[in-house]
Amino acid sequence: MIKTKGINHIALVCRDMKETVRFYTEVLNMPLFKTVQLPDGGQHFFFDCGGGNAIAFFWWKDAPPSAPGIASVRKFPFDAKTAVGSMNHLAFDMEEAELEAALDRLAEAGVEHTHAVLNHDDSPRGYSPEMHEGVFVRSVYFTDPNGIMLEFAATTKQFGPEDVAHEPASAQEPA
């Protein structure tokens, strides 16, 4: 039987390693803890994002260009449909009490972001401007210098069987 302990790291591709290191270490305060020079001239750097988890980046001088609307979001956070097999966004777990400070820090650093905490709920719109008992996650969305959509997410409730209420859709049948 396979038994995992969680996510070790996620590996993404950046356009400029120096710019990426500055953003993740100085803006997001994620320490750089390992660097690798690849035999093909590329680099692979690892950042500590808390809780024993890491985010890593590859860089190659000749990497293909980004493809917004295909492999990354076109315009965050509400035109977020991406291609099958792509990474849509990366959410970092955060205490709810830290979300307002995160908004301030992103603004200070000049990072484009949602200018309010979004309250995700089960309403038809999927979020509420106000906090209420049906909110299950509160989020702040922003993008890094590579156009990767990131999220600070604070879970606000414990989930139970009632939270699994939808049949999975199939490409073979209408949703």
Side-chain angles (χ1 to χ4, degrees), residues 23-98:
F23 181 81
Y24 282 87
T25 60
E26 296 176 20
V27 176
L28 299 187
N29 198 31
M30 294 180 183
L32 177 65
F33 70 88
K34 177 64 178 166
T35 64
V36 177
Q37 189 68 40
L38 301 172
D40 62 3
Q43 295 183 319
H44 192 31
F45 285 20
F46 294 78
F47 302 85
D48 180 347
C49 63
N53 303 299
I55 180 171
F57 284 89
F58 283 101
W59 172 85
W60 292 280
K61 185 177 184 177
D62 59 351
S66 64
I70 299 171
S72 62
V73 296
R74 187 177 311 278
K75 180 71 175 153
F76 92 97
F78 299 110
D79 187 4
K81 194 181 295 180
T82 55
V84 172
S86 68
M87 184 195 80
N88 185 271
H89 71 281
L90 175 62
F92 297 108
D93 192 27
M94 180 177 276
E95 293 295 328
E96 185 178 3
E98 299 293 325

Side-chain angles (χ1 to χ4, degrees), residues 97-111:
E98 299 293 325
L99 291 172
E100 294 295 332
L103 283 172
D104 293 342
R105 177 66 186 119
L106 293 171
E108 286 170 14
V111 176

Side-chain angles (χ1 to χ4, degrees), residues 152-166:
F152 290 138
T155 303
T156 58
K157 68 172 263 186
Q158 288 207 331
F159 296 104
E162 68 280 3
D163 291 300
V164 181
H166 304 88

Side-chain angles (χ1 to χ4, degrees), residues 6 20-21 28 30 38 41 50 59 80 94 103 113 118 132 137 173:
T20 299
V21 168
L28 299 187
M30 294 180 183
L38 301 172
W59 172 85
M94 180 177 276
L103 283 172
H113 63 286
L118 293 178
H132 59 83
V137 172
E173 307 165 6

Side-chain angles (χ1 to χ4, degrees), residues 124-151:
R125 189 163 73 170
Y127 64 94
S128 168
E130 291 88 31
M131 181 63 183
H132 59 83
E133 69 180 34
V135 171
F136 55 88
V137 172
R138 302 188 75 212
S139 299
V140 172
Y141 291 94
F142 57 102
T143 56
D144 83 349
N146 305 292
I148 297 167
M149 187 165 70
L150 303 174
E151 174 186 3

